[in-house]
Amino acid sequence: THKAHRVHKAGASAKKKLVEKKKKNAEKNNPKAFAIQSAQKAERMARRKAELDEKKYHVPMADRTPTIPPPLVVAVVGPPQCGKTTLIKSLVRRYTKHTLSEIRGPVTVVSGKKQRLTFLECPNDINAMTDVAKVADLVLLVLDASYGFEMETFEYLNLLQTHGMPKVMGVLTHLDDFKDNKKLKLVKKNFKHRFWTEVYDGAKLFFLSGVENGRYLDREILNLSRFVSVVKLRPLAWRNSHPYMLADRIQDLTDPELLEANPKANRTVALYGYLRGTHIKGKDRVHIPGAGDYQLDQTELLTDPCPIPDKERKRLDERHKLIYAPMSEVNGVMYDKDAVYIDVRKDKHEVNAPEGEGEKMLSELQKANTVSDRLAAHQFNLFSGARPVTAEDVGGVRARRPA
């Protein structure tokens, strides 16, 4: 029988063969073949691997948004006289071609084929700031470049961090006060670094350089509106698990005769708005900021006052660019508690001009008397030859009856 060759693992012969093997491999192998060729690429791959590992520790957040989502709440926040109202007017004009003379309450517009926006101006009050921070999906933080950061800005950022920190975009106004381009460039750079420090690195900051005809420049508003329309919002856990509503319109349904008898009587109030979060039922208890806790009497599903297009379209037509602002005056129409006011304005050169068909109809409606006024002018006879009975006689009998 032949035995297998036994290789020496120790001794002078084994050491000699090991040295020869190392020399042979050193001639073939390239020491730089497996080294890092790009430090930036290696750092990017390491950061991506760390992000993927970190995502495994986070529970995926369920998105409860329905098929037809409610409008996104865009809060315009800033100190007084920084351009909040002008910014909302410019954005509404960009989306709907409507010019609002006054901003009162929420303004809802159709911004795309599957998206609507509700613009809300935040007053300069700490209670209002807290309430707006609870419902805002996107915050447009308006900053006055001629003055700088104010205390209201820092207070509101702290409130946002408390309520889940929604998406924040900065808007820098009053840049037309700077006539020197070099100084203007330096101001933009300083504001950008400070804004990134307060919010987060990479936060969007838009620059509005001037005002024309009561609105900001169309090109700058176009860039801002595009970013607002395509922004990706991260769902917040508390809002996904609780129902809440931003009231677009408030109506007092209490009987006027009851209020005349007792001004402090309990009132029945109807709140209209889009429900967000989860479902809500009748008899549930709700909290109204500034008023307290109340119990709902009933909830009703109403038709959408500002619907999105029902069919898939390549682009949004002018007739689908709707606006819903019941508290603001839109095209001379303003909704009150129990009435709708139509303002027919005339220029100075049209004061003596003849009225059109629509204006005549409105004038006749305004001159029309109520049923009680028409009955007050009539009289009737109960018996032949007797004195006719008038409305005053009937009123006198009613007045004497309780006695």
Side-chain angles (χ1 to χ4, degrees):
T1 59
H2 297 282
K3 294 183 179 179
H5 177 67
R6 291 169 52 188
V7 180
H8 292 283
K9 297 182 180 179
S13 178
K15 290 181 180 179
K16 184 177 179 181
K17 289 184 179 180
L18 183 63
V19 171
E20 291 178 355
K21 186 177 181 181
K22 287 183 179 180
K23 289 183 179 179
K24 187 176 181 181
N25 291 337
E27 293 176 357
K28 289 184 178 180
N29 296 338
N30 183 8
K32 295 183 179 180
F34 300 97
I36 298 175
Q37 296 180 356
S38 174
Q40 294 180 352
K41 186 177 179 181
E43 189 268 339
R44 197 184 312 122
M45 293 175 62
R47 188 170 64 247
R48 173 171 171 75
K49 185 178 183 303
E51 290 177 356
L52 293 176
D53 292 340
E54 186 68 21
K55 282 183 180 180
K56 296 178 182 179
Y57 297 105
H58 293 274
V59 178
M61 190 173 296
D63 190 2
R64 301 176 183 270
T65 306
T67 307
I68 302 178
L72 298 178
V73 180
V74 181
V76 182
V77 186
Q81 303 298 324
C82 65
K84 300 189 295 293
T85 305
T86 307
L87 179 60
I88 295 179
K89 289 181 180 179
S90 303
L91 288 171
V92 170
R93 174 72 179 178
R94 165 70 184 87
Y95 284 120
T96 65
K97 308 300 181 185
H98 284 80
T99 301
L100 297 181
S101 58
E102 186 180 6
I103 302 296
R104 294 177 58 189
V107 179
T108 304
V109 299
V110 178
S111 60
K113 294 178 289 186
K114 295 182 180 179
Q115 188 188 53
R116 292 167 294 181
L117 301 174
T118 296
F119 294 102
L120 180 64
E121 182 178 351
C122 180
N124 188 32
D125 180 67
I126 189 65
N127 297 318
M129 288 181 178
T130 307
D131 296 336
V132 171
K134 295 175 182 177
V135 298
D137 298 314
L138 173 65
V139 176
L140 296 181
L141 204 58
V142 185
L143 308 171
D144 189 351
S146 61
Y147 190 87
F149 280 89
E150 299 188 37
M151 187 57 64
E152 290 87 348
T153 305
F154 300 116
E155 290 177 352
Y156 195 74
L157 287 175
N158 290 333
L159 289 173
L160 290 179
Q161 292 174 356
T162 306
H163 293 93
M165 198 60 186
K167 195 80 171 181
V168 179
M169 290 185 182
V171 179
L172 202 59
T173 60
H174 292 84
L175 292 175
D176 51 338
D177 295 343
F178 299 94
K179 306 303 179 183
D180 187 8
N181 291 332
K182 189 174 182 180
K183 185 177 181 181
L184 177 61
K185 189 175 181 180
L186 181 61
V187 167
K188 288 182 179 180
K189 182 179 179 181
N190 293 336
F191 263 96
K192 181 180 177 181
H193 285 294
R194 184 59 189 273
F195 187 70
W196 284 13
T197 304
E198 296 297 334
V199 185
Y200 54 85
D201 288 346
K204 284 292 181 181
L205 184 62
F206 296 90
F207 305 107
L208 303 181
S209 58
V211 178
E212 287 185 358
N213 300 324
R215 301 191 308 271
Y216 292 112
L217 302 182
D218 293 339
R219 173 54 57 182
E220 297 170 348
I221 291 296
L222 176 63
N223 294 334
L224 176 59
S225 63
R226 285 177 175 173
F227 271 92
V228 170
S229 299
V230 301
V231 65
K232 299 294 184 182
L233 302 177
R234 179 178 176 271
L236 301 180
W238 193 92
R239 298 183 190 178
N240 272 350
S241 57
H242 293 77
Y244 65 98
M245 186 184 74
L246 175 64
D248 296 327
R249 182 161 64 97
I250 304 173
Q251 187 174 1
D252 191 358
L253 304 178
T254 314
D255 189 2
E257 295 182 358
L258 181 62
L259 293 179
E260 289 181 3
N262 183 14
K264 295 185 179 180
N266 294 332
R267 302 199 176 197
T268 303
V269 181
L271 302 176
Y272 301 85
Y274 292 94
L275 181 65
R276 298 171 172 87
T278 57
H279 302 288
I280 195 170
K281 302 177 182 178
K283 308 303 180 182
D284 286 351
R285 291 187 62 82
V286 296
H287 175 74
I288 301 177
D293 296 336
Y294 295 91
Q295 186 174 6
L296 294 178
D297 183 33
Q298 63 178 354
T299 57
E300 295 182 6
L301 180 62
L302 304 177
T303 57
D304 196 342
C306 188
I308 57 178
D310 52 351
K311 297 181 180 179
E312 187 70 24
R313 302 176 185 277
K314 293 184 179 179
R315 59 187 299 273
L316 206 62
D317 298 335
E318 294 295 331
R319 58 193 177 92
H320 293 126
K321 296 180 180 180
L322 304 178
I323 179 173
Y324 176 64
M327 295 186 186
S328 301
E329 185 178 352
V330 181
N331 288 342
V333 179
M334 185 174 63
Y335 294 85
D336 202 354
K337 294 180 181 179
D338 54 355
V340 179
Y341 298 97
I342 302 176
D343 185 13
V344 182
R345 298 182 180 179
K346 286 188 176 182
D347 297 331
K348 293 182 178 180
H349 65 279
E350 295 181 350
V351 174
N352 299 324
E355 292 184 345
E357 184 178 353
E359 293 177 345
K360 287 182 180 179
M361 183 177 65
L362 289 176
S363 300
E364 292 175 359
L365 287 174
Q366 292 173 354
K367 294 177 182 178
N369 296 326
T370 60
V371 177
S372 59
D373 294 336
R374 291 197 296 270
L375 289 176
H378 287 74
Q379 58 185 12
F380 62 93
N381 295 330
L382 290 175
F383 306 100
S384 60
R387 188 176 67 86
V389 179
T390 62
E392 295 179 356
D393 298 332
V394 177
V397 172
R398 286 181 179 174
R400 289 192 298 271
R401 186 174 296 170

